[in-house]
Amino acid sequence: MHPRQIKAISQSPGALMRYRRTGKPPALIEPRSPLITLLEQYSACERLYMRGITLTPTLGYTGHLKFRDAQRLYRWLKPQPRMLEFEHWPAESRRIKQFHKKLSEHDLKMACATWYQ
């Protein structure tokens, strides 16, 4: 069992009751989306030089949120490598669940004010 699952069971009465009833700890899920997959192709250093990104429905998310650089966007999209199933993170509520288009570098360039060289 992962330490985060143990912590959740010890701190959440609902998770503890579910664990006692079913024997299953809270599930760990990996945040995924086409945009996360694309951003993971770049190093953190490269993401810092992609500046002024506007998050739009063409990238698979609702709203027109602006981020200073791609690294901040990546941290917003994926706060931790694995999240507990009942944890809330803002990007998940804005993700277009039916969006499965494979994004390209061109799509990301169109959302950036400044692209790294």
Side-chain angles (χ1 to χ4, degrees):
M1 199 177 328
H2 193 272
R4 294 192 64 221
Q5 291 171 308
I6 295 169
K7 184 177 179 182
I9 290 170
S10 67
Q11 293 182 347
S12 170
L16 177 61
M17 287 187 338
R18 180 176 170 227
Y19 180 70
R20 284 184 177 168
R21 190 180 50 212
T22 64
K24 295 180 182 176
L28 287 171
I29 56 174
E30 182 179 347
R32 288 186 171 172
S33 76
L35 183 55
I36 292 171
T37 303
L38 178 63
L39 289 172
E40 285 177 340
Q41 294 175 3
Y42 300 97
S43 69
C45 185
E46 290 172 328
R47 290 192 294 257
L48 287 171
Y49 290 105
M50 299 173 197
R51 299 197 177 255
I53 296 182
T54 303
L55 196 60
T56 61
T58 58
L59 295 175
Y61 289 84
T62 61
H64 290 274
L65 300 174
K66 295 183 186 271
F67 291 87
R68 181 179 177 172
D69 54 57
Q71 181 62 21
R72 288 186 188 204
L73 170 61
Y74 180 72
R75 284 281 137 232
W76 183 78
L77 294 171
K78 191 173 181 177
Q80 296 182 12
R82 294 188 300 186
M83 306 287 291
L84 290 169
E85 63 184 334
F86 56 80
E87 282 184 317
H88 171 77
W89 67 99
E92 188 61 19
S93 62
R94 292 194 171 261
R95 185 172 63 91
I96 300 171
K97 309 300 190 269
Q98 298 82 18
F99 188 88
H100 297 291
K101 174 188 167 201
K102 184 170 171 41
L103 295 173
S104 67
E105 186 176 283
H106 175 73
D107 297 320
L108 192 55
K109 276 184 185 179
M110 297 308 293
C112 288
T114 306
W115 187 256
Y116 78 100
Q117 298 298 334

